[in-house]
């Protein structure tokens, strides 16, 4: 029996309006909402305040890439990578810098290096997560050897499994660009594959692409030079004709065609942003294409040389397309609109008719959620026996057996035994015949999943829909972290991950045992050094939370917001009165960065400094919370009009506090514990000023000298790392030999203080002379973005945005 909005509101202690908003925002039904725990309902209501989080994430990363002129240079990431490769070639094989293996050690996997010249070097250890995954935009399967699959992730590159997903490995750690948006296999030669870089789907997640890469042996990938142009910065889909001769590439600037065997000549055949393109699987003269933003579809009858606008609509937004395997004259379109519509063509994509899209309770199914179809939108009609069998995916997956007139959910995003949220690709098993083999694979924000039998999967009469789902993450290590922290005594490490919440690593469980202790998006982190049960994390825009059970339970029970937001039954999320709130956190992106910095004072485990427009401080971080009280927050640095992006407190002296802003300004105080500290802007005058006027991403204070400070910046520019040894009066540019890329993290060895480590957009660099010279490494985090570095005693933990976390024991460096 269907539960009404009024009944559901009463059951969940929320309003009828909130029920309706949740149903639209999560792209689901009242039956599914009824199964949610109270904690899950609170989590969903929390996200209503940020309905377009994928865009917010992307804008946050892009802002960190802007140069002094406010733009992001095209192809800058590839240029920075090539410079890193040049530096790598100049270092001798088997070299070590500051204890880190550097130079071309010939090791491109996640393990440690082989012994060199009879010596065992310190080795990078990948610690996972091996069971969490990350945003996966594409998947292909070898037609004759179906246990071999390749997946592409948004920040971690291309991955390969030889055993059907039991274990994954990165294919090429040194792809020039790890932001992969799609993958296509040549039907005539499966060892030939093409990967499109950059995500055209508006969120872009910090990394622009650099064209299309190709492999002809399924191992070595090389760029197609003719696509390394502005037209191919965001490649959303690639289609390969049955003969393998013709390529069609949908990009953010249009549709491009190549029939040149050398792939040197590309012709633009449509000049509107496209999100999808498909060849007819039975006739490569026919093809269809869907708009990225403009709510339109096209069809071709001459192999993609000319195109005509399809009739149907009016439509809005992104259009995803699928040929029916049983009859390729039937083409389905998943149209973004507001909450998703399925349209069907009977003439190969020339004209479309809207299907009814009814959910089991008789109302229109909001399968793409509230205006999120630009981000997660996919459709499949690959059953060769039934052209009416259709799958669509938004946040959840839905199945229709009558061509889109009626839809039923087959997954439940809130249930760990089901499928992760946000669907991006659906791929049939090569032997799928609709009778003896009905296996289908799914790529989403959590990695790769399998339904062994499409007729059975998710077939429960009521949610949650968990029957028949298998997770295939298994060391598919593409988690995109923003920050991390660890407790030395327990060995536990926490990390804030994009779309996967705040996660915890327990050394007793290993890389496959990571668990979530707070949902949504995670951000910066902190660990109480005196109490192994206390950890701090961040949701978004400075919404800080505290866990007091060692991060063993999820946010329903073990974590509490300490930034001032509290859930009141019948009302939803409200804010406590001053002084028990961070006022900047109330204002979303207007008051603080999407991922805003906060630090636990290294000298006082009760003090937290948090940055919005102002700098906020609490001296009682562990104060119990009630509906009207909790940690007391005071603004100790007024707003400059630019959001705070970096904070540092000197080890051993809490009065020395440094703050950086997104416009490049850096401030210092020497009375940071005072009620009203006095702040001085540094680096604006003198013989050697601090010149960048772009985002300050990291400030690191020397372990024993509060006047020696390292400051790093964003943007694909020269001069992204600076050092002062006199408290900010004079500055030295340390980045003259580093690639011109954002430097997101800097760490100084706690004992050998001339050993400095820089985490950049193109990997980790090490120095043995306080930054005067640098050496790159092709091990451990390789060339992915290193977003954070922190110490657990003398073990360095490297936090990446696309490859999970690594650590290396540097306690034995001489």
């Amino acid at each position: 029996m269907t539960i009404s909005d009024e009944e559901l509101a009463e059951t969940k202690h929320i309003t009828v309006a909130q029920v309706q908003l949740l149903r639209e925002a999560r792209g689901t039904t009242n039956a599914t909402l009824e199964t949610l725990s109270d904690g899950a309902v609170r989590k969903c209501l929390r996200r209503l305040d940020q309905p377009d989080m994928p865009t917010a994430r992307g804008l946050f990363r892009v802002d960190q890439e802007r140069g002094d002129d406010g733009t992001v240079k095209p192809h800058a990431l590839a240029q920075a990578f090539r410079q890193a490769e040049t530096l790598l070639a100049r270092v001798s094989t088997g070299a070590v810098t500051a204890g880190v293996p550097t130079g071309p050690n010939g090791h491109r996997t996640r393990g440690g290096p082989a012994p060199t010249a009879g010596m065992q070097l310190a080795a990078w250890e990948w610690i996972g997560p091996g069971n969490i995954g990350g945003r996966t935009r594409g998947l292909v399967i070898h037609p004759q050897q179906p246990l071999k699959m390749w997946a592409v992730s948004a920040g971690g590159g291309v991955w390969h499994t030889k055993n059907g997903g039991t274990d994954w490995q990165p294919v090429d750690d040194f792809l020039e660009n790890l932001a992969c948006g799609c993958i296509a296999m040549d039907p005539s030669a499966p060892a030939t594959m093409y990967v499109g870089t950059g995500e055209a789907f508006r969120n872009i997640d910090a990394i622009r692409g650099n064209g299309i890469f190709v492999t002809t042996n399924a191992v070595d990938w090389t760029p197609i030079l003719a696509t390394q142009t502005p037209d191919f910065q965001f490649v959303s889909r690639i289609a390969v004709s049955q003969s393998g001769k013709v390529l069609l590439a949908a990009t953010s600037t249009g549709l491009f065609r190549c029939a040149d065997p050398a792939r040197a000549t590309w012709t633009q055949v449509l000049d509107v942003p496209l999100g999808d393109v498909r060849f007819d699987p039975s006739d490569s003269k026919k093809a269809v294409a869907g708009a990225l933003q403009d709510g339109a579809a096209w069809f071709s009858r001459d192999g993609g040389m000319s195109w005509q606008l399809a009739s149907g609509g009016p439509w809005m937004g992104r259009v995803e397309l699928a040929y029916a395997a049983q009859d390729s004259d039937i083409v389905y379109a998943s149209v973004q609109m507001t909450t998703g519509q399925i349209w069907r063509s009977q003439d190969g994509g020339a004209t479309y008719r809207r299907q009814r899209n009814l959910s089991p309770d008789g109302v229109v199914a909001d399968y793409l959620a509230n205006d999120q179809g630009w981000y997660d939108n996919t459709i499949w009609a690959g059953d060769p026996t039934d052209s009416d069998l259709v799958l669509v995916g938004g946040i959840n997956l839905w199945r229709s057996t009558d061509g889109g007139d009626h839809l039923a959910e087959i997954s439940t995003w809130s249930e760990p035994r089901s499928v992760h949220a946000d669907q991006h690709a659906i791929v049939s098993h090569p032997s799928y015949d609709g009778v003896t083999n009905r296996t289908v694979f799914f790529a989403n924000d959590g990695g790769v999943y399998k339904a062994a039998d499409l007729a059975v999967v998710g077939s429960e009469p009521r949610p949650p829909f968990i029957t028949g789902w298998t997770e295939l993450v298994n060391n598919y290590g593409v988690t995109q972290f923003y920050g991390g922290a660890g407790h030395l005594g327990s060995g536990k490490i926490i990390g804030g991950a994009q779309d996967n919440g705040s996660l915890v690593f327990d050394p007793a469980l290993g890389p496959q045992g990571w668990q979530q202790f707070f949902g949504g998006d995670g951000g910066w982190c902190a660990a109480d050094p005196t109490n192994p049960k206390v950890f701090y994390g961040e949701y978004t825009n400075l919404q800080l939370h505290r866990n007091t059970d060692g991060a063993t339970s999820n946010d329903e029970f073990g974590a509490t917001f300490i930034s001032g937001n509290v859930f009141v039954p019948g009302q939803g999320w409200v804010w406590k009165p001053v002084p028990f709130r961070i006022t900047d956190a109330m204002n979303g992106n207007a008051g603080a960065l999407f991922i805003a910095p906060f630090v636990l004072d290294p000298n006082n485990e009760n003090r937290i400094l948090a940055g919005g427009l102002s700098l906020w401080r609490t001296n009682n971080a562990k104060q119990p919370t009630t509906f009207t009280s909790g940690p007391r927050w005071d603004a100790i640095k007024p707003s400059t009009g630019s959001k705070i992006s970096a904070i540092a407190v000197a080890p051993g002296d809490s009065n020395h506090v440094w703050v950086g802003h997104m416009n490049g300004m850096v401030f210092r105080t020497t009375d940071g514990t005072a009620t009203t500290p006095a702040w001085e802007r540094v680096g604006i005058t003198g013989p050697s000023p601090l010149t960048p006027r772009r985002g300050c991403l990291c400030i690191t204070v020397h372990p024993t000298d509060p006047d020696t400070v390292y400051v790093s910046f964003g943007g694909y520019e020269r001069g992204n790392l600076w050092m002062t040894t006199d408290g900010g009066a004079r500055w030295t540019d340390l980045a003259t030999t580093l690639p011109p890329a954002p430097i997101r993290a800097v760490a100084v060895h706690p004992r050998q203080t001339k050993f400095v480590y820089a985490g950049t957009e193109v990997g980790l660099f090490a120095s043995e002379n306080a930054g005067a010279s640098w050496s790159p490494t092709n091990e451990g985090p390789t060339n992915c973005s290193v977003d954070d570095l922190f110490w657990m005693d003398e073990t360095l933990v490297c936090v990446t945005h696309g490859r999970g976390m690594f650590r290396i024991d540097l306690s034995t460096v001489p």
Side-chain angles (χ1 to χ4, degrees):
M1 184 177 68
T2 302
I3 185 171
S4 69
D5 290 357
E6 291 76 14
E7 292 170 325
L8 186 58
E10 183 177 358
T11 299
K12 297 301 180 183
H13 309 293
I14 58 179
T15 67
V16 172
Q18 287 172 329
V19 168
Q20 295 166 348
L21 287 171
L22 284 181
R23 188 172 59 243
E24 293 179 2
R26 302 308 294 175
T28 189
T29 63
N30 282 3
T32 293
L33 293 177
E34 185 182 14
T35 67
L36 298 182
S37 66
D38 289 344
V41 170
R42 292 198 298 269
K43 185 189 304 181
C44 292
L45 287 174
R46 193 173 66 220
R47 295 195 70 162
L48 288 180
D49 294 332
Q50 292 175 297
D52 204 0
M53 289 184 68
T55 295
R57 295 184 200 122
L59 291 174
F60 165 68
R61 300 289 289 191
V62 168
D63 284 345
Q64 294 179 324
E65 293 185 328
R66 299 187 192 279
D68 288 342
D69 63 357
T71 66
V72 181
K73 296 180 178 179
H75 305 296
L77 178 63
Q79 293 167 7
F81 167 79
R82 290 179 188 133
Q83 183 168 333
E85 285 280 81
T86 300
L87 293 172
L88 196 67
R90 294 175 182 171
V91 183
S92 61
T93 300
V96 177
T97 305
V100 173
T102 54
N105 290 298
H107 216 76
R108 299 190 175 190
T109 65
R110 289 169 292 165
T116 301
M119 298 176 61
Q120 180 64 54
L121 304 177
W124 283 104
E125 176 192 6
W126 183 71
I127 60 173
N131 61 324
I132 300 296
R135 186 162 74 253
T136 303
R137 282 291 186 184
L139 181 73
V140 293
I141 307 172
H142 195 289
Q144 288 83 43
Q145 303 173 61
L147 293 180
K148 292 184 177 181
M149 300 189 290
W150 290 261
V152 293
S153 71
V158 185
W159 289 67
H160 175 42
T161 177
K162 299 178 181 179
N163 49 26
T166 301
D167 181 69
W168 295 83
Q169 290 287 335
V171 170
D172 189 340
D173 275 345
F174 282 80
L175 218 63
E176 284 187 10
N177 194 298
L178 297 182
C180 298
C182 59
I183 184 170
M185 180 179 283
D186 185 337
S188 67
T192 297
M193 287 174 277
Y194 302 89
V195 164
T197 60
E199 284 188 283
F201 305 106
R202 217 172 80 196
N203 60 305
I204 61 182
D205 197 46
I207 307 177
R208 279 163 164 72
N210 193 35
I212 298 173
F213 289 73
V214 62
T215 179
T216 56
N217 60 9
V219 176
D220 302 306
W221 295 78
T222 57
I224 297 177
L225 297 181
T227 65
Q228 294 189 308
T229 70
D231 284 327
F232 292 84
Q233 286 190 77
F234 302 105
V235 182
S236 52
R237 195 82 76 232
I238 299 170
V240 188
S241 66
Q242 289 298 307
S243 66
K245 294 181 179 179
V246 179
L247 291 187
L248 296 174
T251 81
S252 60
T253 60
L255 183 65
F256 294 82
R257 184 180 188 273
C258 178
D260 171 16
R263 305 305 182 203
T265 302
W266 293 77
T267 302
Q268 186 170 13
V269 290
L270 280 173
D271 62 356
V272 293
L274 291 181
D276 196 13
V277 63
R278 311 276 174 173
F279 274 111
D280 183 323
S282 61
D283 183 356
S284 291
K285 288 290 185 182
K286 299 177 181 178
V288 291
L292 184 63
Q293 304 163 356
D294 297 334
W298 293 263
F299 65 97
S300 173
R301 298 291 186 258
D302 56 9
M305 290 188 289
S306 63
W307 293 82
Q308 294 175 267
L309 185 66
S311 62
W315 292 351
M316 294 187 301
R318 177 178 163 193
V319 177
E320 285 289 299
L321 301 165
Y323 280 99
Q326 192 267 340
D327 180 359
S328 62
D329 283 338
I330 298 174
V331 181
Y332 287 96
S334 175
V335 185
Q336 177 183 339
M337 303 303 285
T338 301
T339 56
Q341 292 178 5
I342 298 174
W343 291 63
R344 175 172 166 142
S345 171
Q346 300 281 134
D347 53 11
T351 62
Y352 289 86
R353 177 177 60 85
R354 182 179 174 182
Q355 306 301 91
R356 290 193 292 168
N357 294 23
L358 298 179
S359 68
D361 55 10
V363 301
V364 174
D366 298 328
Y367 71 91
L368 287 185
N370 187 16
D371 198 26
Q372 198 170 309
W374 62 267
Y375 176 71
D376 42 21
N377 182 357
T378 185
I379 188 166
W380 173 94
D383 192 309
T385 68
D386 187 354
S387 60
D388 288 332
L389 179 58
V390 180
L391 301 179
V392 287
I395 291 179
N396 277 330
L397 288 157
W398 300 66
R399 176 174 52 210
S400 174
T401 58
D402 58 6
D405 279 338
H406 294 84
L407 292 169
E409 283 181 303
I410 58 172
S411 72
T412 304
W413 89 93
S414 60
E415 171 55 60
R417 293 171 294 175
S418 189
V419 177
H420 197 283
D422 300 320
Q423 313 306 317
H424 301 302
I426 306 174
V427 179
S428 306
H429 189 285
S431 299
Y432 185 106
D433 59 12
V435 182
T436 61
N437 186 312
R438 292 190 291 255
T439 301
V440 181
F441 298 86
F442 303 82
N444 52 48
D445 270 11
V448 181
Y449 289 75
K450 179 176 78 170
D453 188 342
L454 188 56
V456 173
V457 69
S459 57
E460 288 89 347
R462 292 182 60 80
F465 302 109
I466 60 175
T467 296
W469 289 111
T470 303
E471 177 195 278
L472 298 180
V473 174
N474 304 323
N475 287 328
Y476 179 58
V478 298
T479 305
Q480 294 172 291
F481 282 112
Y482 293 111
H487 188 275
L488 182 61
S490 68
K492 286 187 175 181
I493 293 172
I494 64 170
Q498 183 238 286
D499 205 46
N500 282 295
S502 295
L503 308 175
V504 59
F505 165 77
D506 188 331
L509 301 177
Q512 288 285 342
W514 285 72
Q515 297 177 354
Q516 184 184 92
F517 68 95
F518 201 91
D521 277 60
W524 287 51
C525 301
D528 188 312
T530 63
N531 188 339
K533 292 186 177 297
V534 177
F535 291 100
Y536 299 92
E538 175 187 18
Y539 177 48
T540 57
N541 303 120
L542 212 57
Q543 297 180 72
L544 308 185
H545 51 81
R546 179 184 64 209
N547 180 282
T548 57
D549 65 6
T552 59
S553 59
N554 212 320
D555 59 342
E556 291 182 49
F557 309 106
T560 303
F561 274 117
I562 60 171
S563 47
N565 34 343
V566 61
F567 187 83
V568 178
Q571 297 183 47
W573 288 98
V574 299
W575 288 89
K576 299 176 186 179
V578 172
F580 305 112
R581 73 185 188 206
I582 301 175
T583 304
D584 284 343
M586 296 173 59
N587 299 321
N589 287 322
L593 292 175
F594 181 75
I595 302 298
F598 78 92
V599 297
L600 186 65
D601 187 331
N603 316 300
N604 184 341
E605 72 275 10
N606 292 305
R607 181 180 296 128
I608 291 177
L609 300 178
L613 283 170
S614 300
L615 181 68
W616 297 82
R617 180 183 66 198
T618 181
N619 291 318
N620 59 344
K622 290 187 265 191
Q623 177 74 21
T625 60
T626 71
F627 285 112
T628 57
S629 65
R632 176 191 175 99
W633 292 96
D634 298 296
I636 63 169
K637 180 181 180 296
S639 171
T640 65
S642 176
K643 296 169 188 173
I644 291 173
S645 50
I647 308 167
V649 181
D653 189 347
S654 298
N655 281 310
H656 282 77
V657 181
W658 293 73
V659 175
H661 293 259
M662 280 303 292
N663 63 0
M665 294 190 298
V666 177
F667 292 83
R668 178 200 191 201
T669 183
T670 57
D671 58 354
T673 61
T675 302
T676 307
W679 295 92
E680 172 194 9
R681 184 179 172 188
V682 299
I684 56 174
T685 59
S688 52
L690 192 61
T691 59
R693 296 295 178 263
R694 49 193 180 272
C696 175
L697 303 188
C698 177
I699 300 176
T700 299
V701 184
H702 190 281
T704 59
D705 180 6
D707 287 330
T708 296
V709 179
Y710 298 84
V711 178
S712 71
F713 294 87
Y716 289 99
E717 305 278 355
R718 296 289 180 187
N720 273 340
L721 180 58
W722 296 73
M723 179 181 70
T724 180
T725 58
D726 55 11
R730 290 171 295 184
W731 294 86
T732 302
D733 180 2
L734 300 180
T736 55
T737 61
L738 287 171
I743 297 177
R744 300 184 177 276
V746 179
V748 181
H749 196 290
R751 174 172 48 87
Q752 291 286 6
T753 56
K754 289 188 179 296
F755 290 6
V756 183
Y757 310 86
T760 80
E761 197 78 30
V762 290
L764 186 83
F765 291 75
S767 172
E768 292 186 345
N769 49 19
S773 62
W774 297 91
S775 296
T777 177
N778 68 342
E779 298 186 17
T782 64
N783 70 317
C784 70
S785 177
V786 176
D787 276 34
D788 195 13
L789 296 166
F790 66 90
W791 295 97
M792 296 181 70
D793 195 15
E794 294 188 12
T795 292
L796 181 64
V797 183
C798 180
V799 180
T800 79
H801 195 74
R803 285 293 179 86
M805 290 194 196
F806 298 79
R807 64 184 176 187
I808 187 168
D809 183 357
L810 299 177
S811 63
T812 60
V813 296

